[in-house]
Amino acid sequence: QKEVEQDPGPLSVPEGAIVSLNCTYSNSAFQYFMWYRQYSRKGPELLMYTYSSGNKEDGRFTAQVDKSSKYISLFIRDSQPSDSATYLCAMSVPAAGNKLTFGGGTRVLVKP
Amino acid sequence: NAGVTQTPKFQVLKTGQSMTLQCAQDMNHNSMYWYRQDPGMGLRLIYYSASEGTTDKGEVPNGYNVSRLNKREFSLRLESAAPSQTSVYFCASSGSDRVTAYNSPLHFGNGTRLTVT
């Protein structure tokens, strides 16, 4: 079983809808949680970064961490066609530093 | 702003051939990483260099070697390519190998797509 599980999708939504993405993990030592966005044929780029539990909001994006359930979420409000991409969750334990453990990614398609 | 530059963008090798993937960053970052991305597997760490002069194995190092040539450059070598090494390879860099409560994100290049036949 993988340490980080993520539904591969694709997740297809109409423009303007809320996109809901999530990852589950098994290692309770994970403390740092990130979401990366990857456009086709490009490298991943950091979207959101949270430490330990709680919520973080940045514009249309909200990241949530529930350590008791070992579950993290990313919500995209008012989705746009430009949000069509693959979204990767990533996690790290403090001792591992920036050596991240990634989920497999969820492909999102926002239709105009 | 070049960021992280990887060469080549595409490569086809025959089984047993060797090649070196090049990576350079212009952000004065201390740490550099090599990941491979396979469908449904996410990114898996091959090797990393926490700082100039040091390298360490990641999750999937077998069949690969690395060289941290200087602070800017970190190369990945396949000595005898195998079909199982068909993948997209990403180089990344960060200011520090330590993740803190502040932001220390990985900056990725756009990848090298390698096919081994």
Side-chain angles (χ1 to χ4, degrees), chain A residues 38 44 88 104, chain B residues 35-39 42-44 87-90:
Chain A
Q38 186 177 21
L88 300 148
Chain B
Y35 283 88
R36 61 178 287 173
Q37 185 174 35
D38 302 293
L43 289 116
R44 292 180 292 168
S87 188
V88 183
Y89 291 85
F90 287 99

Side-chain angles (χ1 to χ4, degrees), chain A residues 2 32 34 36 38 40-46 49 51 56 88 92 94 96-105, chain B residues 10 33 35 37 40-43 45 48 90 94 96-106 108-111 113:
Chain A
K2 294 181 197 172
Y32 301 99
M34 296 142 219
Y36 281 82
Q38 186 177 21
S40 181
R41 303 275 178 182
K42 297 291 186 184
E45 56 180 340
L46 184 70
Y49 170 88
Y51 170 67
K56 186 173 183 178
L88 300 148
S92 175
N98 248 327
K99 296 173 285 295
L100 306 181
T101 301
F102 281 86
Chain B
F10 303 93
Y33 310 78
Y35 283 88
Q37 185 174 35
M41 299 291 292
L43 289 116
L45 183 65
Y48 67 98
F90 287 99
S94 66
S96 168
D97 190 47
R98 294 179 180 278
V99 176
T100 68
Y102 306 97
N103 215 335
S104 183
L106 292 180
F108 284 88
N110 283 327
R113 282 151 186 83

